[in-house]
Amino acid sequence: MTLPPALVVLPGPKAALSGAGGAVRLVPAEARERFAQDRLLVAHATLTARRLGAAPPPRSPRLLDALELFAFVRPGAFTAPSAAGLALAMGDPEPVGPEDMAVALARVAQRLLDELAAAPTPSREEALAVAETLARGGWAWGEAVVAALRSRPVSNAFRSSGLDVWARLEEWEDPGPAGDPGSAPVPPEAAVRRLGELLERAGLDEARTAQAEYAREAAFVFRPRDRENEPNMLLAEAGTGIGKTLGYLAPASLWAEANGPSVWISTYTRALQRQIERESAVLFPDPAARARRAVVRKGRENYLCLLNFQDLVNTAQLGAADLIGLGLTARWIRASRDGDMTGGDFPAWLPGLFAVPAAGQAAAGNLVDRRGECIHAGCAHYRTCFVEKAIRASRRADIVIANHALVMAQAAFDGARAGRGAPEDSETTRLRRVVFDEGHHLFDAADAAFSTALSGQETAELRRWIRGSERRGRRGRGLEARLGDLVGAEGPARQALNDVIHAAGRLPSEGWSGRLSSGDPEAPQGPIEAFLAAMAVQLRARAEPTDLAPACAARPALPEAVAAARAVASALADIEAPLLALTRTLEDLLDQGAETLTGAERGRIEGVLRGLDRRARMTLPAWRGMLSTLDAEVAGDDPDFVDWFEGVVISGRLADAAFRRHWVDPTEPLVRTVLEPAHGVLVTSATLTDSAAEDPFALAELRSGGRRLASPPAHLRLASPFDYAACARAFVVTDVSKNDARQVGAALRELFLAAGGGGLGLFTAIRRLRAVHEQIAAPLGDRGLSLYAQHVDPLEVGALVDIFRAEVDSCLLGTDAVRDGVDVPGRSLRLLVFDRAPWPRPDLLHKARRARFGNGWDDAITRGRIAQAFGRLIRRQDDKGVFVMLDAATPTRLFGALPEGIEVRRLTLVEVLEATRDFLAGG
């Protein structure tokens, strides 16, 4: 099969088409015409269409996307989703400009086909079965891929479509109880010796005095604790370049080997979670050993559900879902290390390559475990389930690499169950030694984990969990489907099950969001929809018009909101009572049937009990408690909480309303559920302290919960080894109005050009980001610089960062998620620009915290954000970077968090452009 010419389109748009003699430049009109009519090879068809001003194209035999071919040939392997990214993934040098990229793209496609012909995985027969299934489904690559696979001898013994991958996955084996961890301490000098071994193994033989000191001091948290509820806690700031990951893995690995199981390493971002997993290769060089001893754990909603995949495959074979996307996903499932679809080895760009109806996409939203629907041991794929594999592996692993949200949710739930004397099960988490990396996010993670929200979405989810899907053609996985055969036809359990299913009929049903947005007072069905409508009335009356979600204080509540809240509380009580009764009968069944229940039956009951426990003993009581506070006759403001109503606006309409409750100080439940039960806790970050404060660790103690402990935490502060005075510059532009988007856009354009690319623009509002992108994308493209943007390009944040990292001279616009998730060493990030000072949003919750913690709260948070962003700029010794603030009103005191040696100069834009060019020249 002869491959068609490759079309590459960069912002501008600037387009080129490959040919026999190289590539030719196309004017935009010709590129649009060819894209609409010709048979072409592209890299990311939807992004190509967007740059040409066209609608995302549907799948077609006419458009061959090289990213789909890569996903088939190298499933589970990484590539940035662009022509340059593909070239780099194949080991080629980075192509520059559309002509070079078009030639490179054509070469990549042919090399991938040659590679497939030579060595397909996991076998030629299985790859061919999938390829022929996709070819019959009209896959543009079908003919070429089948021909490549048949270019070598191959049997026809494979007798399925190849999509039934669940039948070929390895089953997990239950390892049995791991036992309680020991108490042998880690001597500080032993930690330093282990660090030396790891550095030697990694080929890093340079002396790192600060890293050795870090490992020595980190051993403190691996000593036995002396008193109950008083963990050995260390707050450790280690500047960029110290090497804190290996610094804490050294003592952690020693402790796990001597005492195990499991030191938990917790991060805030998915990017760091995977980075730590990669660095664990130094601890466990053998991949098989690493898979056992360093396990990544996330919540269920991150992992592919094989039952969901099987359902979608069946639907696709009837023509109602994306067969091609599912076939490529099947290839990934067979190659994936752990089935992680969000931040793991699944190519997140795959579902967005073509316009495919959302309901039929092979995307995380359709294939992960939607909340509460897992049927545990009742599932045909239970023994091959990725979630169950991760849970069991983590029970015996030396190192468990998790995230703050999972750690807190698991600790809170398991702690509450232990307090009631509930037995442990396969998902019980014992957090005895915990390292919180990205510790500066601990407060925000606790804020999210211990908050409560009663909304249309949440209550509709509860209805679906109880009654199953009530839409025709959708499989229901309600309590009847999970438990019906176990509780029998009569008796207390059956009565409780029937009662809760009946009571759940008062929760929001299908179409609730449309009824809410209609504004018709007669539209609400049931007490909760009436409460949502009452919240909407109060929001319209009291919320200030802003670009953000409309919000207002919950109290004093309108009379109709109070009346509706009483009805909701009654309806929730009618659900809670039979749920509790059902919980008790199932607990009795486990106890009384200890000798007669099969392992599968016990697993099903344990799985359902966790869901029942969470809802009946945590969620529903919390909701009813919140609702009672709206009644002025029985309640007043609780100083420990902030309550408010908030609207969710989509496309200009109110799609949902929520009653929210947050702790003013979320470290109170953090300490109670996570810190006090632990024996050792390390909270670490490159930006943990506030240098401008009298006590640099005061903020860290407050935001980590250390201040609430009976024994105060120890402190460690190690400065970065980088010579910032030599490798970085910082400027405030004095003659650009931050409120004029055109001025901000013009400044960003000229700064990116002065740096020759490698620029990251950070915005505090999505609206301003989009306006600036529209203004500067074409001018930058005309000068050879590609511009990518969060909330504009049809890619998730991780994929955008991957492209930015791969294409050395590209530029990127983003918001907080980009600031926190970027790890881009080298020239790919050499300029960082804030559109304005990143002050906290002055909402109701923030105002309450400022009143509690003092006026310096705003400054401390903002200094932290600036320091975190600056830390993205210089990642290694040979980096050079420029930091620019476009907000002339930014107070000098906010720059106190920048590293020693950085002088912030206030100059005009012309002066900053000249200084940037001079400093980065040849860098």
Side-chain angles (χ1 to χ4, degrees):
M1 174 182 174
T2 303
L3 293 180
L7 174 69
V8 168
V9 182
L10 301 182
K14 298 177 68 175
L17 191 70
S18 69
V24 294
R25 183 72 66 94
L26 302 180
V27 297
E30 184 180 1
R32 278 190 287 271
E33 183 178 354
R34 284 182 172 271
F35 183 74
Q37 298 178 5
D38 291 1
R39 187 167 177 269
L40 296 169
L41 174 65
V42 297
H44 210 297
T46 292
L47 186 58
T48 302
R50 180 183 290 272
R51 288 174 174 170
L52 291 172
R59 292 192 187 280
S60 161
R62 188 177 56 78
L63 290 176
L64 288 77
D65 200 311
L67 288 166
E68 286 192 338
L69 180 61
F70 185 91
F72 188 96
V73 178
R74 295 189 178 186
F78 169 79
T79 181
S82 66
L86 284 164
L88 290 167
M90 300 297 291
D92 292 340
E94 180 189 354
V96 178
E99 293 94 339
D100 286 351
M101 290 183 187
V103 171
L105 184 59
R107 184 168 57 245
V108 162
Q110 188 57 59
R111 286 183 58 193
L112 284 170
L113 289 172
D114 294 343
E115 181 179 316
L116 182 64
T121 59
S123 71
R124 187 175 299 275
E125 287 75 18
E126 184 172 343
L128 180 60
V130 176
E132 290 183 334
T133 298
L134 299 190
R136 289 191 295 271
W139 188 31
W141 285 104
E143 179 186 348
V145 167
V146 169
L149 289 167
R150 287 197 174 278
S151 66
R152 306 285 197 280
V154 57
S155 73
N156 291 317
F158 210 89
R159 299 186 180 277
S160 79
S161 67
L163 304 186
D164 57 340
V165 289
W166 52 83
R168 294 182 295 283
L169 294 178
E170 183 179 355
E171 294 187 350
W172 51 261
E173 295 290 338
D174 198 328
D180 292 332
S183 298
V186 174
E189 292 310 314
V192 174
R193 285 195 298 274
R194 171 57 62 89
L195 174 64
E197 294 168 5
L198 297 180
L199 291 173
E200 182 178 0
R201 198 177 296 165
L204 303 171
D205 55 359
E206 70 268 23
R208 293 188 177 190
T209 304
Q211 189 180 30
E213 182 181 354
Y214 184 97
R216 183 181 296 109
E217 296 298 322
F220 168 73
V221 305
F222 298 101
R223 290 169 36 185
R225 69 178 183 181
D226 296 331
R227 282 173 290 278
E228 184 181 16
N229 294 334
E230 296 185 25
N232 300 317
M233 186 175 185
L234 174 64
L235 303 179
E237 179 176 272
T240 306
I242 292 292
K244 60 180 168 55
T245 303
L246 290 183
Y248 60 64
L249 284 178
S253 61
L254 286 172
W255 185 89
E257 290 168 9
N259 301 288
S262 303
V263 175
W264 281 62
I265 312 294
S266 180
T267 75
Y268 188 69
T269 61
R270 295 168 181 164
L272 184 58
Q273 208 172 356
R274 277 297 168 185
Q275 180 183 323
I276 294 171
E277 192 272 333
R278 287 194 297 269
E279 292 199 38
S280 71
V282 180
L283 272 175
F284 314 116
D286 177 61
R290 186 163 72 254
R292 294 193 310 272
R293 302 181 68 181
V295 174
V296 174
R297 272 293 310 275
K298 296 183 178 181
R300 286 180 171 271
E301 68 280 0
N302 293 279
Y303 296 94
L304 177 128
C305 169
L306 289 168
L307 191 54
N308 282 343
F309 179 75
Q310 182 180 8
D311 283 349
L312 213 53
V313 165
N314 293 338
T315 302
Q317 291 176 337
L318 297 174
D322 178 20
L323 177 67
I324 293 165
L326 289 166
L328 297 173
T329 302
R331 295 281 293 160
W332 166 76
I333 292 171
R334 292 285 279 138
S336 176
R337 169 176 169 165
D338 54 13
D340 180 1
M341 295 193 75
T342 60
D345 50 16
F346 179 74
W349 37 259
L350 184 59
L353 298 183
F354 291 95
V356 175
Q361 278 189 0
N366 293 326
L367 293 176
V368 299
D369 176 24
R370 293 183 289 269
R371 286 196 301 174
E373 74 179 3
C374 180
I375 54 178
H376 299 276
C379 177
H381 307 302
Y382 182 64
R383 299 285 302 181
T384 52
C385 173
F386 288 114
V387 177
E388 296 297 333
K389 286 180 181 178
I391 290 171
R392 280 157 180 78
S394 68
R395 290 163 63 187
R396 287 299 186 97
D398 290 23
I399 305 294
V400 179
I401 307 163
N403 54 69
H404 298 349
L406 176 66
V407 165
M408 292 179 199
Q410 291 278 99
F413 181 64
D414 292 335
R417 295 191 81 211
R420 293 192 298 273
E424 292 187 358
D425 61 26
S426 64
E427 293 194 42
T428 299
T429 303
R430 294 184 178 186
L431 296 168
R432 295 296 178 259
R433 308 285 168 171
V434 189
V435 175
F436 286 107
D437 205 336
E438 297 181 302
H440 57 277
H441 284 300
L442 201 53
F443 187 94
D444 294 332
D447 181 37
F450 298 111
S451 62
T452 304
L454 193 164
S455 67
Q457 181 66 35
E458 293 289 332
T459 50
E461 286 276 0
L462 178 60
R463 178 183 177 122
R464 186 175 64 81
W465 182 79
I466 294 172
R467 295 173 67 108
S469 176
E470 296 168 290
R471 291 178 61 182
R472 193 170 183 179
R474 295 282 290 276
R475 180 186 61 247
R477 294 187 191 169
L479 290 179
E480 177 65 44
R482 295 184 182 89
L483 293 174
D485 61 324
L486 291 174
V487 302
E490 56 185 25
R494 167 53 66 180
Q495 185 60 53
L497 179 58
N498 291 341
D499 289 347
V500 75
I501 291 173
H502 175 73
R506 302 175 71 189
L507 296 170
S509 61
E510 194 70 33
W512 64 268
S513 181
R515 292 190 290 274
L516 174 64
S517 64
S518 72
D520 181 357
E522 303 297 322
Q525 297 178 4
I528 298 199
E529 292 190 31
F531 182 53
L532 299 176
M535 281 196 284
V537 171
Q538 185 163 323
L539 283 165
R540 284 191 287 268
R542 298 179 183 173
E544 293 294 328
T546 67
D547 294 332
L548 308 172
C552 68
R555 291 179 298 275
L558 294 176
E560 55 261 52
V562 173
R566 291 172 181 161
V568 171
S570 175
L572 295 179
D574 289 343
I575 296 171
E576 184 180 331
L579 277 181
L580 285 170
L582 183 59
T583 301
R584 287 189 289 267
T585 59
L586 290 176
E587 289 171 341
D588 291 342
L589 180 60
L590 274 181
D591 182 41
Q592 298 163 6
E595 296 182 357
T596 58
L597 289 172
T598 67
E601 289 171 338
R602 177 173 292 276
R604 285 172 62 190
I605 295 172
E606 287 180 349
V608 175
L609 271 176
R610 289 184 73 85
L612 288 168
D613 218 11
R614 189 181 301 276
R615 290 162 178 83
R617 289 176 170 146
M618 298 178 73
T619 301
L620 286 167
W623 283 351
R624 291 196 300 106
M626 289 168 57
L627 291 164
S628 69
T629 67
L630 294 181
D631 195 331
E633 297 180 7
V634 298
D637 288 343
D638 187 327
D640 288 331
F641 296 97
V642 179
D643 300 336
W644 73 94
F645 294 162
E646 183 176 285
V648 177
V649 177
I650 299 176
S651 300
R653 69 179 185 91
L654 186 69
D656 196 0
F659 179 16
R660 299 192 177 278
R661 162 166 281 197
H662 283 241
W663 287 82
V664 175
D665 185 356
T667 65
E668 183 173 333
L670 171 67
V671 168
R672 185 174 64 251
T673 61
V674 180
L675 300 188
E676 287 183 342
H679 290 217
V681 178
L682 171 61
V683 179
T684 189
S685 169
T687 54
L688 201 60
T689 64
D690 183 3
S691 302
E694 183 177 346
D695 177 1
F697 276 95
L699 181 69
E701 286 196 352
L702 188 156
R703 289 174 64 86
S704 68
R707 180 178 293 183
R708 291 181 172 273
L709 294 174
S711 298
H715 299 162
L716 174 67
R717 193 180 190 193
L718 299 171
S720 171
F722 300 146
D723 182 359
Y724 284 103
C727 66
R729 297 289 183 268
F731 305 105
V732 176
V733 177
T734 59
D735 58 348
V736 169
S737 172
K738 66 181 181 183
N739 296 317
D740 186 334
R742 293 195 64 81
Q743 288 191 42
V744 171
L748 267 170
R749 180 192 66 224
E750 295 306 316
L751 284 164
F752 287 169
L753 289 172
L760 173 62
L762 293 176
F763 287 78
T764 57
I766 297 172
R767 176 180 53 82
R768 291 196 299 272
L769 181 155
R770 287 173 170 160
V772 168
H773 177 272
E774 184 177 357
Q775 177 187 345
I776 71 173
L780 289 177
D782 290 340
R783 300 286 293 274
L785 300 184
S786 296
L787 179 67
Y788 300 93
Q790 184 190 9
H791 304 294
V792 176
D793 290 317
L795 294 164
E796 53 95 38
V797 171
L800 287 171
V801 173
D802 290 340
I803 296 176
F804 180 58
R805 183 187 298 112
E807 299 181 12
V808 174
D809 294 331
S810 65
C811 299
L812 176 62
L813 306 180
T815 56
D816 286 355
V818 173
R819 181 193 70 215
D820 294 332
V822 169
D823 183 21
V824 183
R827 281 181 50 78
S828 290
L829 176 53
R830 51 191 182 268
L831 171 69
L832 188 146
V833 186
F834 267 109
D835 78 318
R836 61 182 60 201
W839 293 105
R841 190 174 77 190
D843 55 21
L844 294 167
L845 182 58
H846 178 74
K847 289 179 180 178
R849 288 174 176 161
R850 184 169 56 198
R852 171 76 62 88
F853 302 130
N855 290 330
W857 183 250
D858 285 2
D859 283 7
I861 291 174
T862 309
R863 276 195 294 267
R865 292 174 177 176
I866 290 174
Q868 291 152 28
F870 187 90
R872 306 293 94 193
L873 192 59
I874 306 297
R875 306 297 292 168
R876 61 191 192 194
Q877 290 283 1
D878 59 346
D879 278 358
K880 294 183 70 173
V882 175
F883 175 95
V884 178
M885 176 69 72
L886 294 179
D887 185 352
T890 306
T892 299
R893 67 181 184 274
L894 295 184
F895 298 111
L898 295 183
E900 186 176 348
I902 293 295
E903 175 192 359
V904 180
R905 301 169 62 196
R906 294 178 180 269
L907 302 172
T908 65
L909 177 60
V910 171
E911 292 170 326
V912 171
L913 293 173
E914 183 178 357
T916 298
R917 277 190 291 265
D918 290 345
F919 180 68
L920 294 178

